[in-house]
Amino acid sequence: MNSISIEQLPIGIFDSGVGGLTVYRALHDRLPNERFIYLGDTARVPYGTKSLATVERYAIENSQFLASRGIKMLVVACNTASALALPKIREKIGLDVVGVIGPGGRKAVELTKGDLHARIGVIATEATVASNAYFEAIRRASDTAEVLQSGCPLFVPLAEENWVNEPETFSIAAKYLARMKEFAPDALVLGCTHYPILREVIQRTVGENVMLVDSGEATAEEVARLLMDKGLQNPIEHIGKRTLCDDLDHFYVTDAADRFARVAERFLGTKPSKLEAIEVYGIDELRKS
Ligand code: DGL
């Protein structure tokens, strides 16, 4: 058993699949000294159309798996799991847990600060919209901002297909975002892991004057602050030596590792050097036995 200090442990990240790699990239860019363990629950994706009880169960199993690998902090990259399961995850895991909803909502309010009548739009999966989690996060930071939420489920497969410039993607975006455009938000939260991949399409559809908020980037800022406040920054110097997906980071999936690697290459321009397929079901029972 090697005895490394808690500061040297990696940060755990989980998502329902490959989309959370946008959050991994934001964390990697913001925290070049940290190592990451990423779990994509590719066997059970999508979460965005599932019920609260199911998303909670999956999220807890994923969190327990990552905790069993030895992590110092957990980032729930999946917006749907953050929206639905954060309290249950915190109850089960004796670690700091950071979701993407709070940071994304707070960032939108921060960007529109000073405007009492700020208008904030949120686009996300059906389950995230139905949970009202973004609305509540924005409300906690501003009593007065007007909020409009909208589900854009087809953006997930379009991003995975890398249809970032196709006319079909623009026409789907125009249809989904018609009400949003009318609402004329000052800021629009990209409340789903995949949406930053379609950033340009979304920006062109809602108008160049709308400030887009990438929840993953906002989360990376909060994780950086939390690590500093808690004195948990990794003291081992990696800055300047890291590249995305290098062998200091470890990737796990629950199914279809080859597809994950292909889509990872589309999203990040590189494949994970350490990628393993595992099972997370009943991990807690396994640990007890
Ligand atoms: N990762 C999910 C999210 O951010 C999108 C994909 C899914 O529905 O599982 O909400």
PDB file of all heavy atoms in Angstrom, residues 156-192:
ATOM      1  N   VAL A 156     -27.865  16.584 -27.618  1.00  0.00           N
ATOM      2  CA  VAL A 156     -26.917  15.578 -27.111  1.00  0.00           C
ATOM      3  C   VAL A 156     -26.401  14.685 -28.258  1.00  0.00           C
ATOM      4  O   VAL A 156     -25.184  14.626 -28.496  1.00  0.00           O
ATOM      5  CB  VAL A 156     -27.542  14.749 -25.956  1.00  0.00           C
ATOM      6  CG1 VAL A 156     -26.693  13.533 -25.617  1.00  0.00           C
ATOM      7  CG2 VAL A 156     -27.710  15.636 -24.716  1.00  0.00           C
ATOM      8  N   PRO A 157     -27.294  14.006 -29.023  1.00  0.00           N
ATOM      9  CA  PRO A 157     -26.755  13.205 -30.133  1.00  0.00           C
ATOM     10  C   PRO A 157     -26.069  14.043 -31.207  1.00  0.00           C
ATOM     11  O   PRO A 157     -25.089  13.592 -31.807  1.00  0.00           O
ATOM     12  CB  PRO A 157     -27.977  12.464 -30.687  1.00  0.00           C
ATOM     13  CG  PRO A 157     -29.166  13.151 -30.120  1.00  0.00           C
ATOM     14  CD  PRO A 157     -28.741  13.802 -28.841  1.00  0.00           C
ATOM     15  N   LEU A 158     -26.549  15.253 -31.443  1.00  0.00           N
ATOM     16  CA  LEU A 158     -25.909  16.092 -32.471  1.00  0.00           C
ATOM     17  C   LEU A 158     -24.461  16.399 -32.082  1.00  0.00           C
ATOM     18  O   LEU A 158     -23.559  16.346 -32.923  1.00  0.00           O
ATOM     19  CB  LEU A 158     -26.686  17.399 -32.657  1.00  0.00           C
ATOM     20  CG  LEU A 158     -28.045  17.273 -33.354  1.00  0.00           C
ATOM     21  CD1 LEU A 158     -28.819  18.584 -33.255  1.00  0.00           C
ATOM     22  CD2 LEU A 158     -27.892  16.866 -34.820  1.00  0.00           C
ATOM     23  N   ALA A 159     -24.235  16.683 -30.803  1.00  0.00           N
ATOM     24  CA  ALA A 159     -22.861  16.959 -30.347  1.00  0.00           C
ATOM     25  C   ALA A 159     -22.010  15.701 -30.477  1.00  0.00           C
ATOM     26  O   ALA A 159     -20.866  15.759 -30.936  1.00  0.00           O
ATOM     27  CB  ALA A 159     -22.882  17.449 -28.897  1.00  0.00           C
ATOM     28  N   GLU A 160     -22.586  14.554 -30.101  1.00  0.00           N
ATOM     29  CA  GLU A 160     -21.793  13.315 -30.174  1.00  0.00           C
ATOM     30  C   GLU A 160     -21.456  12.952 -31.615  1.00  0.00           C
ATOM     31  O   GLU A 160     -20.431  12.337 -31.889  1.00  0.00           O
ATOM     32  CB  GLU A 160     -22.529  12.169 -29.459  1.00  0.00           C
ATOM     33  CG  GLU A 160     -22.570  12.427 -27.965  1.00  0.00           C
ATOM     34  CD  GLU A 160     -22.901  11.219 -27.108  1.00  0.00           C
ATOM     35  OE1 GLU A 160     -22.973  10.088 -27.620  1.00  0.00           O
ATOM     36  OE2 GLU A 160     -23.079  11.436 -25.889  1.00  0.00           O
ATOM     37  N   GLU A 161     -22.343  13.327 -32.553  1.00  0.00           N
ATOM     38  CA  GLU A 161     -22.060  13.086 -33.977  1.00  0.00           C
ATOM     39  C   GLU A 161     -21.105  14.134 -34.542  1.00  0.00           C
ATOM     40  O   GLU A 161     -20.729  14.063 -35.696  1.00  0.00           O
ATOM     41  CB  GLU A 161     -23.370  13.127 -34.777  1.00  0.00           C
ATOM     42  CG  GLU A 161     -24.246  11.901 -34.614  1.00  0.00           C
ATOM     43  CD  GLU A 161     -23.551  10.638 -35.090  1.00  0.00           C
ATOM     44  OE1 GLU A 161     -22.969  10.633 -36.189  1.00  0.00           O
ATOM     45  OE2 GLU A 161     -23.583   9.648 -34.342  1.00  0.00           O
ATOM     46  N   ASN A 162     -20.798  15.137 -33.730  1.00  0.00           N
ATOM     47  CA  ASN A 162     -19.956  16.257 -34.167  1.00  0.00           C
ATOM     48  C   ASN A 162     -20.602  17.045 -35.307  1.00  0.00           C
ATOM     49  O   ASN A 162     -19.901  17.585 -36.164  1.00  0.00           O
ATOM     50  CB  ASN A 162     -18.572  15.750 -34.588  1.00  0.00           C
ATOM     51  CG  ASN A 162     -17.525  16.828 -34.430  1.00  0.00           C
ATOM     52  OD1 ASN A 162     -17.655  17.711 -33.590  1.00  0.00           O
ATOM     53  ND2 ASN A 162     -16.487  16.774 -35.254  1.00  0.00           N
ATOM     54  N   TRP A 163     -21.939  17.126 -35.277  1.00  0.00           N
ATOM     55  CA  TRP A 163     -22.658  17.919 -36.283  1.00  0.00           C
ATOM     56  C   TRP A 163     -22.692  19.371 -35.814  1.00  0.00           C
ATOM     57  O   TRP A 163     -23.743  19.906 -35.489  1.00  0.00           O
ATOM     58  CB  TRP A 163     -24.084  17.385 -36.462  1.00  0.00           C
ATOM     59  CG  TRP A 163     -24.163  16.158 -37.312  1.00  0.00           C
ATOM     60  CD1 TRP A 163     -23.187  15.223 -37.503  1.00  0.00           C
ATOM     61  CD2 TRP A 163     -25.282  15.728 -38.076  1.00  0.00           C
ATOM     62  NE1 TRP A 163     -23.624  14.240 -38.338  1.00  0.00           N
ATOM     63  CE2 TRP A 163     -24.912  14.518 -38.710  1.00  0.00           C
ATOM     64  CE3 TRP A 163     -26.562  16.233 -38.293  1.00  0.00           C
ATOM     65  CZ2 TRP A 163     -25.771  13.819 -39.539  1.00  0.00           C
ATOM     66  CZ3 TRP A 163     -27.428  15.529 -39.118  1.00  0.00           C
ATOM     67  CH2 TRP A 163     -27.030  14.342 -39.736  1.00  0.00           C
ATOM     68  N   VAL A 164     -21.554  19.979 -35.793  1.00  0.00           N
ATOM     69  CA  VAL A 164     -21.462  21.313 -35.206  1.00  0.00           C
ATOM     70  C   VAL A 164     -21.669  22.418 -36.248  1.00  0.00           C
ATOM     71  O   VAL A 164     -21.801  23.580 -35.889  1.00  0.00           O
ATOM     72  CB  VAL A 164     -20.112  21.521 -34.474  1.00  0.00           C
ATOM     73  CG1 VAL A 164     -20.018  20.621 -33.266  1.00  0.00           C
ATOM     74  CG2 VAL A 164     -18.931  21.274 -35.406  1.00  0.00           C
ATOM     75  N   ASN A 165     -21.704  22.035 -37.509  1.00  0.00           N
ATOM     76  CA  ASN A 165     -21.819  23.037 -38.568  1.00  0.00           C
ATOM     77  C   ASN A 165     -22.876  22.719 -39.601  1.00  0.00           C
ATOM     78  O   ASN A 165     -22.999  23.413 -40.597  1.00  0.00           O
ATOM     79  CB  ASN A 165     -20.460  23.153 -39.268  1.00  0.00           C
ATOM     80  CG  ASN A 165     -19.880  24.516 -39.032  1.00  0.00           C
ATOM     81  OD1 ASN A 165     -20.628  25.492 -39.057  1.00  0.00           O
ATOM     82  ND2 ASN A 165     -18.578  24.573 -38.788  1.00  0.00           N
ATOM     83  N   GLU A 166     -23.603  21.602 -39.374  1.00  0.00           N
ATOM     84  CA  GLU A 166     -24.562  21.133 -40.368  1.00  0.00           C
ATOM     85  C   GLU A 166     -25.821  22.004 -40.387  1.00  0.00           C
ATOM     86  O   GLU A 166     -26.267  22.467 -39.340  1.00  0.00           O
ATOM     87  CB  GLU A 166     -24.985  19.683 -40.061  1.00  0.00           C
ATOM     88  CG  GLU A 166     -24.137  18.618 -40.705  1.00  0.00           C
ATOM     89  CD  GLU A 166     -22.705  18.564 -40.183  1.00  0.00           C
ATOM     90  OE1 GLU A 166     -22.370  19.330 -39.249  1.00  0.00           O
ATOM     91  OE2 GLU A 166     -21.940  17.771 -40.726  1.00  0.00           O
ATOM     92  N   PRO A 167     -26.412  22.201 -41.569  1.00  0.00           N
ATOM     93  CA  PRO A 167     -27.649  23.001 -41.642  1.00  0.00           C
ATOM     94  C   PRO A 167     -28.756  22.409 -40.779  1.00  0.00           C
ATOM     95  O   PRO A 167     -29.562  23.136 -40.195  1.00  0.00           O
ATOM     96  CB  PRO A 167     -28.021  22.961 -43.134  1.00  0.00           C
ATOM     97  CG  PRO A 167     -27.080  22.009 -43.793  1.00  0.00           C
ATOM     98  CD  PRO A 167     -25.924  21.771 -42.887  1.00  0.00           C
ATOM     99  N   GLU A 168     -28.805  21.063 -40.663  1.00  0.00           N
ATOM    100  CA  GLU A 168     -29.837  20.417 -39.836  1.00  0.00           C
ATOM    101  C   GLU A 168     -29.718  20.870 -38.372  1.00  0.00           C
ATOM    102  O   GLU A 168     -30.707  21.083 -37.685  1.00  0.00           O
ATOM    103  CB  GLU A 168     -29.713  18.882 -39.888  1.00  0.00           C
ATOM    104  CG  GLU A 168     -30.052  18.254 -41.239  1.00  0.00           C
ATOM    105  CD  GLU A 168     -28.880  18.270 -42.229  1.00  0.00           C
ATOM    106  OE1 GLU A 168     -27.817  18.869 -41.914  1.00  0.00           O
ATOM    107  OE2 GLU A 168     -29.031  17.689 -43.318  1.00  0.00           O
ATOM    108  N   THR A 169     -28.475  21.000 -37.903  1.00  0.00           N
ATOM    109  CA  THR A 169     -28.262  21.407 -36.505  1.00  0.00           C
ATOM    110  C   THR A 169     -28.751  22.843 -36.309  1.00  0.00           C
ATOM    111  O   THR A 169     -29.402  23.159 -35.312  1.00  0.00           O
ATOM    112  CB  THR A 169     -26.768  21.284 -36.145  1.00  0.00           C
ATOM    113  OG1 THR A 169     -26.349  19.966 -36.498  1.00  0.00           O
ATOM    114  CG2 THR A 169     -26.523  21.514 -34.660  1.00  0.00           C
ATOM    115  N   PHE A 170     -28.469  23.697 -37.300  1.00  0.00           N
ATOM    116  CA  PHE A 170     -28.942  25.083 -37.194  1.00  0.00           C
ATOM    117  C   PHE A 170     -30.466  25.140 -37.197  1.00  0.00           C
ATOM    118  O   PHE A 170     -31.066  25.930 -36.465  1.00  0.00           O
ATOM    119  CB  PHE A 170     -28.363  25.943 -38.335  1.00  0.00           C
ATOM    120  CG  PHE A 170     -26.966  26.412 -38.038  1.00  0.00           C
ATOM    121  CD1 PHE A 170     -25.868  25.695 -38.468  1.00  0.00           C
ATOM    122  CD2 PHE A 170     -26.755  27.568 -37.292  1.00  0.00           C
ATOM    123  CE1 PHE A 170     -24.571  26.113 -38.169  1.00  0.00           C
ATOM    124  CE2 PHE A 170     -25.467  28.003 -36.978  1.00  0.00           C
ATOM    125  CZ  PHE A 170     -24.369  27.264 -37.419  1.00  0.00           C
ATOM    126  N   SER A 171     -31.110  24.271 -38.022  1.00  0.00           N
ATOM    127  CA  SER A 171     -32.577  24.376 -38.058  1.00  0.00           C
ATOM    128  C   SER A 171     -33.195  23.795 -36.785  1.00  0.00           C
ATOM    129  O   SER A 171     -34.194  24.327 -36.275  1.00  0.00           O
ATOM    130  CB  SER A 171     -33.171  23.793 -39.345  1.00  0.00           C
ATOM    131  OG  SER A 171     -33.025  22.418 -39.355  1.00  0.00           O
ATOM    132  N   ILE A 172     -32.580  22.756 -36.204  1.00  0.00           N
ATOM    133  CA  ILE A 172     -33.083  22.238 -34.915  1.00  0.00           C
ATOM    134  C   ILE A 172     -32.885  23.298 -33.827  1.00  0.00           C
ATOM    135  O   ILE A 172     -33.779  23.554 -33.013  1.00  0.00           O
ATOM    136  CB  ILE A 172     -32.377  20.899 -34.560  1.00  0.00           C
ATOM    137  CG1 ILE A 172     -32.875  19.798 -35.505  1.00  0.00           C
ATOM    138  CG2 ILE A 172     -32.619  20.515 -33.097  1.00  0.00           C
ATOM    139  CD1 ILE A 172     -32.057  18.526 -35.481  1.00  0.00           C
ATOM    140  N   ALA A 173     -31.717  23.929 -33.856  1.00  0.00           N
ATOM    141  CA  ALA A 173     -31.441  24.970 -32.845  1.00  0.00           C
ATOM    142  C   ALA A 173     -32.446  26.117 -32.987  1.00  0.00           C
ATOM    143  O   ALA A 173     -32.968  26.626 -31.982  1.00  0.00           O
ATOM    144  CB  ALA A 173     -30.014  25.484 -32.996  1.00  0.00           C
ATOM    145  N   ALA A 174     -32.763  26.501 -34.224  1.00  0.00           N
ATOM    146  CA  ALA A 174     -33.705  27.611 -34.438  1.00  0.00           C
ATOM    147  C   ALA A 174     -35.071  27.255 -33.850  1.00  0.00           C
ATOM    148  O   ALA A 174     -35.739  28.087 -33.226  1.00  0.00           O
ATOM    149  CB  ALA A 174     -33.819  27.915 -35.923  1.00  0.00           C
ATOM    150  N   LYS A 175     -35.457  25.973 -34.010  1.00  0.00           N
ATOM    151  CA  LYS A 175     -36.759  25.540 -33.496  1.00  0.00           C
ATOM    152  C   LYS A 175     -36.758  25.519 -31.962  1.00  0.00           C
ATOM    153  O   LYS A 175     -37.654  26.053 -31.315  1.00  0.00           O
ATOM    154  CB  LYS A 175     -37.052  24.145 -34.065  1.00  0.00           C
ATOM    155  CG  LYS A 175     -38.461  23.722 -33.897  1.00  0.00           C
ATOM    156  CD  LYS A 175     -38.788  22.572 -34.844  1.00  0.00           C
ATOM    157  CE  LYS A 175     -40.252  22.218 -34.691  1.00  0.00           C
ATOM    158  NZ  LYS A 175     -40.727  21.338 -35.735  1.00  0.00           N
ATOM    159  N   TYR A 176     -35.730  24.885 -31.377  1.00  0.00           N
ATOM    160  CA  TYR A 176     -35.657  24.795 -29.913  1.00  0.00           C
ATOM    161  C   TYR A 176     -35.548  26.171 -29.258  1.00  0.00           C
ATOM    162  O   TYR A 176     -36.051  26.380 -28.160  1.00  0.00           O
ATOM    163  CB  TYR A 176     -34.414  24.011 -29.491  1.00  0.00           C
ATOM    164  CG  TYR A 176     -34.552  22.511 -29.434  1.00  0.00           C
ATOM    165  CD1 TYR A 176     -33.442  21.697 -29.698  1.00  0.00           C
ATOM    166  CD2 TYR A 176     -35.735  21.890 -29.067  1.00  0.00           C
ATOM    167  CE1 TYR A 176     -33.519  20.316 -29.623  1.00  0.00           C
ATOM    168  CE2 TYR A 176     -35.823  20.507 -28.991  1.00  0.00           C
ATOM    169  CZ  TYR A 176     -34.718  19.725 -29.266  1.00  0.00           C
ATOM    170  OH  TYR A 176     -34.792  18.372 -29.186  1.00  0.00           O
ATOM    171  N   LEU A 177     -34.807  27.073 -29.913  1.00  0.00           N
ATOM    172  CA  LEU A 177     -34.440  28.318 -29.235  1.00  0.00           C
ATOM    173  C   LEU A 177     -35.309  29.516 -29.633  1.00  0.00           C
ATOM    174  O   LEU A 177     -35.024  30.646 -29.245  1.00  0.00           O
ATOM    175  CB  LEU A 177     -32.954  28.633 -29.491  1.00  0.00           C
ATOM    176  CG  LEU A 177     -31.980  27.569 -28.958  1.00  0.00           C
ATOM    177  CD1 LEU A 177     -30.551  27.861 -29.398  1.00  0.00           C
ATOM    178  CD2 LEU A 177     -32.043  27.481 -27.427  1.00  0.00           C
ATOM    179  N   ALA A 178     -36.416  29.238 -30.378  1.00  0.00           N
ATOM    180  CA  ALA A 178     -37.269  30.343 -30.848  1.00  0.00           C
ATOM    181  C   ALA A 178     -37.818  31.149 -29.664  1.00  0.00           C
ATOM    182  O   ALA A 178     -37.740  32.388 -29.644  1.00  0.00           O
ATOM    183  CB  ALA A 178     -38.396  29.811 -31.716  1.00  0.00           C
ATOM    184  N   ARG A 179     -38.345  30.448 -28.642  1.00  0.00           N
ATOM    185  CA  ARG A 179     -38.914  31.161 -27.480  1.00  0.00           C
ATOM    186  C   ARG A 179     -37.831  31.891 -26.700  1.00  0.00           C
ATOM    187  O   ARG A 179     -38.024  32.973 -26.179  1.00  0.00           O
ATOM    188  CB  ARG A 179     -39.613  30.155 -26.549  1.00  0.00           C
ATOM    189  CG  ARG A 179     -41.127  30.246 -26.661  1.00  0.00           C
ATOM    190  CD  ARG A 179     -41.813  29.399 -25.611  1.00  0.00           C
ATOM    191  NE  ARG A 179     -41.873  30.008 -24.294  1.00  0.00           N
ATOM    192  CZ  ARG A 179     -41.816  29.333 -23.150  1.00  0.00           C
ATOM    193  NH1 ARG A 179     -41.664  28.012 -23.165  1.00  0.00           N
ATOM    194  NH2 ARG A 179     -41.891  29.948 -21.994  1.00  0.00           N
ATOM    195  N   MET A 180     -36.676  31.237 -26.644  1.00  0.00           N
ATOM    196  CA  MET A 180     -35.545  31.818 -25.911  1.00  0.00           C
ATOM    197  C   MET A 180     -35.121  33.127 -26.580  1.00  0.00           C
ATOM    198  O   MET A 180     -34.831  34.116 -25.919  1.00  0.00           O
ATOM    199  CB  MET A 180     -34.388  30.803 -25.890  1.00  0.00           C
ATOM    200  CG  MET A 180     -33.280  31.125 -24.940  1.00  0.00           C
ATOM    201  SD  MET A 180     -33.815  31.288 -23.225  1.00  0.00           S
ATOM    202  CE  MET A 180     -33.981  29.597 -22.695  1.00  0.00           C
ATOM    203  N   LYS A 181     -35.110  33.106 -27.910  1.00  0.00           N
ATOM    204  CA  LYS A 181     -34.706  34.304 -28.657  1.00  0.00           C
ATOM    205  C   LYS A 181     -35.683  35.456 -28.398  1.00  0.00           C
ATOM    206  O   LYS A 181     -35.286  36.592 -28.197  1.00  0.00           O
ATOM    207  CB  LYS A 181     -34.661  33.957 -30.149  1.00  0.00           C
ATOM    208  CG  LYS A 181     -33.534  34.638 -30.853  1.00  0.00           C
ATOM    209  CD  LYS A 181     -33.454  34.294 -32.291  1.00  0.00           C
ATOM    210  CE  LYS A 181     -32.883  35.523 -32.993  1.00  0.00           C
ATOM    211  NZ  LYS A 181     -32.820  35.366 -34.415  1.00  0.00           N
ATOM    212  N   GLU A 182     -36.951  35.096 -28.357  1.00  0.00           N
ATOM    213  CA  GLU A 182     -37.987  36.089 -28.060  1.00  0.00           C
ATOM    214  C   GLU A 182     -37.813  36.663 -26.652  1.00  0.00           C
ATOM    215  O   GLU A 182     -37.988  37.849 -26.418  1.00  0.00           O
ATOM    216  CB  GLU A 182     -39.342  35.386 -28.101  1.00  0.00           C
ATOM    217  CG  GLU A 182     -40.341  35.996 -29.038  1.00  0.00           C
ATOM    218  CD  GLU A 182     -41.529  35.074 -29.160  1.00  0.00           C
ATOM    219  OE1 GLU A 182     -42.341  35.035 -28.223  1.00  0.00           O
ATOM    220  OE2 GLU A 182     -41.596  34.342 -30.178  1.00  0.00           O
ATOM    221  N   PHE A 183     -37.449  35.780 -25.714  1.00  0.00           N
ATOM    222  CA  PHE A 183     -37.223  36.175 -24.307  1.00  0.00           C
ATOM    223  C   PHE A 183     -36.038  37.142 -24.203  1.00  0.00           C
ATOM    224  O   PHE A 183     -35.958  37.973 -23.312  1.00  0.00           O
ATOM    225  CB  PHE A 183     -36.982  34.895 -23.495  1.00  0.00           C
ATOM    226  CG  PHE A 183     -36.634  35.083 -22.048  1.00  0.00           C
ATOM    227  CD1 PHE A 183     -37.555  35.597 -21.148  1.00  0.00           C
ATOM    228  CD2 PHE A 183     -35.383  34.719 -21.567  1.00  0.00           C
ATOM    229  CE1 PHE A 183     -37.234  35.746 -19.801  1.00  0.00           C
ATOM    230  CE2 PHE A 183     -35.045  34.864 -20.230  1.00  0.00           C
ATOM    231  CZ  PHE A 183     -35.976  35.389 -19.343  1.00  0.00           C
ATOM    232  N   ALA A 184     -35.128  37.027 -25.185  1.00  0.00           N
ATOM    233  CA  ALA A 184     -33.939  37.904 -25.262  1.00  0.00           C
ATOM    234  C   ALA A 184     -33.130  37.922 -23.961  1.00  0.00           C
ATOM    235  O   ALA A 184     -33.050  38.955 -23.283  1.00  0.00           O
ATOM    236  CB  ALA A 184     -34.345  39.314 -25.667  1.00  0.00           C
ATOM    237  N   PRO A 185     -32.536  36.771 -23.594  1.00  0.00           N
ATOM    238  CA  PRO A 185     -31.785  36.741 -22.335  1.00  0.00           C
ATOM    239  C   PRO A 185     -30.508  37.567 -22.428  1.00  0.00           C
ATOM    240  O   PRO A 185     -29.927  37.708 -23.504  1.00  0.00           O
ATOM    241  CB  PRO A 185     -31.438  35.252 -22.166  1.00  0.00           C
ATOM    242  CG  PRO A 185     -31.428  34.701 -23.557  1.00  0.00           C
ATOM    243  CD  PRO A 185     -32.444  35.499 -24.334  1.00  0.00           C
ATOM    244  N   ASP A 186     -30.061  38.070 -21.244  1.00  0.00           N
ATOM    245  CA  ASP A 186     -28.745  38.713 -21.181  1.00  0.00           C
ATOM    246  C   ASP A 186     -27.679  37.621 -21.139  1.00  0.00           C
ATOM    247  O   ASP A 186     -26.611  37.754 -21.723  1.00  0.00           O
ATOM    248  CB  ASP A 186     -28.639  39.574 -19.913  1.00  0.00           C
ATOM    249  CG  ASP A 186     -29.717  40.638 -19.883  1.00  0.00           C
ATOM    250  OD1 ASP A 186     -29.695  41.493 -20.777  1.00  0.00           O
ATOM    251  OD2 ASP A 186     -30.600  40.579 -19.002  1.00  0.00           O
ATOM    252  N   ALA A 187     -27.998  36.560 -20.382  1.00  0.00           N
ATOM    253  CA  ALA A 187     -27.067  35.427 -20.278  1.00  0.00           C
ATOM    254  C   ALA A 187     -27.842  34.134 -20.493  1.00  0.00           C
ATOM    255  O   ALA A 187     -29.012  34.024 -20.110  1.00  0.00           O
ATOM    256  CB  ALA A 187     -26.405  35.419 -18.904  1.00  0.00           C
ATOM    257  N   LEU A 188     -27.173  33.166 -21.106  1.00  0.00           N
ATOM    258  CA  LEU A 188     -27.809  31.866 -21.353  1.00  0.00           C
ATOM    259  C   LEU A 188     -26.892  30.772 -20.808  1.00  0.00           C
ATOM    260  O   LEU A 188     -25.729  30.657 -21.225  1.00  0.00           O
ATOM    261  CB  LEU A 188     -28.031  31.669 -22.865  1.00  0.00           C
ATOM    262  CG  LEU A 188     -28.609  30.321 -23.298  1.00  0.00           C
ATOM    263  CD1 LEU A 188     -30.020  30.109 -22.747  1.00  0.00           C
ATOM    264  CD2 LEU A 188     -28.636  30.206 -24.828  1.00  0.00           C
ATOM    265  N   VAL A 189     -27.416  29.982 -19.863  1.00  0.00           N
ATOM    266  CA  VAL A 189     -26.620  28.915 -19.261  1.00  0.00           C
ATOM    267  C   VAL A 189     -26.684  27.671 -20.136  1.00  0.00           C
ATOM    268  O   VAL A 189     -27.776  27.185 -20.466  1.00  0.00           O
ATOM    269  CB  VAL A 189     -27.138  28.567 -17.842  1.00  0.00           C
ATOM    270  CG1 VAL A 189     -26.290  27.464 -17.221  1.00  0.00           C
ATOM    271  CG2 VAL A 189     -27.169  29.796 -16.948  1.00  0.00           C
ATOM    272  N   LEU A 190     -25.512  27.161 -20.504  1.00  0.00           N
ATOM    273  CA  LEU A 190     -25.439  25.891 -21.238  1.00  0.00           C
ATOM    274  C   LEU A 190     -25.494  24.802 -20.172  1.00  0.00           C
ATOM    275  O   LEU A 190     -24.475  24.369 -19.645  1.00  0.00           O
ATOM    276  CB  LEU A 190     -24.148  25.824 -22.055  1.00  0.00           C
ATOM    277  CG  LEU A 190     -23.889  26.993 -23.013  1.00  0.00           C
ATOM    278  CD1 LEU A 190     -22.565  26.821 -23.757  1.00  0.00           C
ATOM    279  CD2 LEU A 190     -25.042  27.141 -24.008  1.00  0.00           C
ATOM    280  N   GLY A 191     -26.727  24.376 -19.827  1.00  0.00           N
ATOM    281  CA  GLY A 191     -26.942  23.520 -18.662  1.00  0.00           C
ATOM    282  C   GLY A 191     -26.928  22.042 -18.957  1.00  0.00           C
ATOM    283  O   GLY A 191     -27.694  21.273 -18.361  1.00  0.00           O
ATOM    284  N   CYS A 192     -26.089  21.627 -19.873  1.00  0.00           N
ATOM    285  CA  CYS A 192     -25.941  20.207 -20.196  1.00  0.00           C
ATOM    286  C   CYS A 192     -24.505  20.028 -20.691  1.00  0.00           C
ATOM    287  O   CYS A 192     -23.978  20.898 -21.392  1.00  0.00           O
ATOM    288  CB  CYS A 192     -26.940  19.815 -21.286  1.00  0.00           C
ATOM    289  SG  CYS A 192     -26.688  18.154 -21.948  1.00  0.00           S
TER     290      CYS A 192
END
